[in-house]
Amino acid sequence: NAEKLGYLFIEQSGRRKYGHQRLLFKNLYGNKKHETPVRNKTRTLRGRIQAHRRKIKKEQIMKKIILTDNAPAPIGPYSQAILAGNTLYCSGQIALDAKTGEFLNGTIEEQTEKCCQNIEAVLKEAGFGFEHVVKTTCCLAHMSDFSAFNKVYAKYFTSKPARSCVAVKELQKFEQGGLVEIEVIAVK
């Protein structure tokens, strides 16, 4: 093509700017040199493919269901936790014994301790720890239990994640004395 136009290709310059290359041409009828920008189709196509792959990775975050025998099995159509990318979303944990499935009908301190142990088991199964927790949602049957709950909570959540703590009308196992439920979000 260049020869048809009366130019002879001399060299490809090493300068690259904005995905273009500059090709040097020499006029066959004289010594006048000039640069003509030519789009490098290979480089542009490669860049487009890489950008498309990055876009797909962002859109298709892999989800993984986390299940462990060291925490109570789900009693409904949900998982103990879901790992999406580097974020772990844990379902609310109540004071159930993982081995027997029996509810621990005790004081607010005992139930909070059991909830935290169950959360620890789920976090551990996913390769996380309490230091990775960034948000907790705590539900109490009675706000009068808040200070006793807070003492046990503080032993486990030493990194002081963001927290919502609300009093609810009824919790799971409320008829059996359920006083607390805790759910967490953790990021690695």
Side-chain angles (χ1 to χ4, degrees), residues 59-129:
E59 291 174 356
Q60 295 179 345
I61 294 177
M62 299 298 293
K63 292 191 310 185
K64 180 181 175 188
I65 294 173
I66 306 297
L67 288 172
T68 178
D69 294 333
N70 298 326
I75 56 175
Y78 63 91
S79 304
Q80 289 173 334
I82 295 286
L83 181 62
N86 64 340
T87 305
L88 183 70
Y89 300 91
C90 295
S91 296
Q93 293 293 326
I94 58 175
L96 284 176
D97 186 85
K99 294 177 181 149
T100 65
E102 294 295 317
F103 182 73
L104 172 67
N105 189 359
T107 65
I108 185 68
E109 293 91 345
E110 293 168 339
Q111 287 190 27
T112 304
E113 188 80 33
K114 191 62 183 166
C115 289
C116 291
Q117 290 170 0
N118 291 340
I119 289 168
E120 184 175 33
V122 175
L123 289 171
K124 193 175 197 178
E125 181 68 24
F128 286 73

Side-chain angles (χ1 to χ4, degrees), residues 23-176:
L23 300 177
L24 298 177
F25 289 88
K26 182 176 180 182
N27 189 328
L28 290 175
Y29 307 107
N31 286 333
K32 187 177 179 184
K33 283 187 180 181
H34 67 278
E35 294 183 10
T36 305
V38 176
R39 188 129 187 126
N40 183 339
K41 292 181 182 178
T42 306
R43 183 173 175 177
T44 303
L45 180 61
R46 187 179 314 128
R48 286 182 186 166
I49 291 170
Q50 288 171 349
H52 182 68
R53 285 181 181 158
R54 284 191 299 269
K55 182 180 176 186
I56 288 173
K57 279 186 180 178
K58 286 181 182 177
E59 291 174 356
Q60 295 179 345
I61 294 177
M62 299 298 293
K63 292 191 310 185
K64 180 181 175 188
I65 294 173
I66 306 297
L67 288 172
T68 178
D69 294 333
N70 298 326
I75 56 175
Y78 63 91
S79 304
Q80 289 173 334
I82 295 286
L83 181 62
N86 64 340
T87 305
L88 183 70
Y89 300 91
C90 295
S91 296
Q93 293 293 326
I94 58 175
L96 284 176
D97 186 85
K99 294 177 181 149
T100 65
E102 294 295 317
F103 182 73
L104 172 67
N105 189 359
T107 65
I108 185 68
E109 293 91 345
E110 293 168 339
Q111 287 190 27
T112 304
E113 188 80 33
K114 191 62 183 166
C115 289
C116 291
Q117 290 170 0
N118 291 340
I119 289 168
E120 184 175 33
V122 175
L123 289 171
K124 193 175 197 178
E125 181 68 24
F128 286 73
F130 280 106
E131 69 275 7
H132 297 112
V133 174
V134 295
K135 172 76 169 80
T136 65
T137 303
C138 308
C139 301
L140 301 176
H142 310 287
M143 273 320 254
S144 58
D145 292 333
F146 181 75
S147 61
F149 160 80
N150 216 28
K151 288 177 186 171
V152 178
Y153 176 93
K155 287 192 323 188
Y156 287 92
F157 296 96
T158 56
S159 63
K160 298 187 180 182
R163 175 176 83 176
S164 298
C165 188
V166 295
V168 295
K169 185 175 178 183
E170 290 184 9
L171 288 167
Q172 284 183 337
K173 305 289 184 182
F174 182 75
E175 66 280 353
Q176 296 176 9

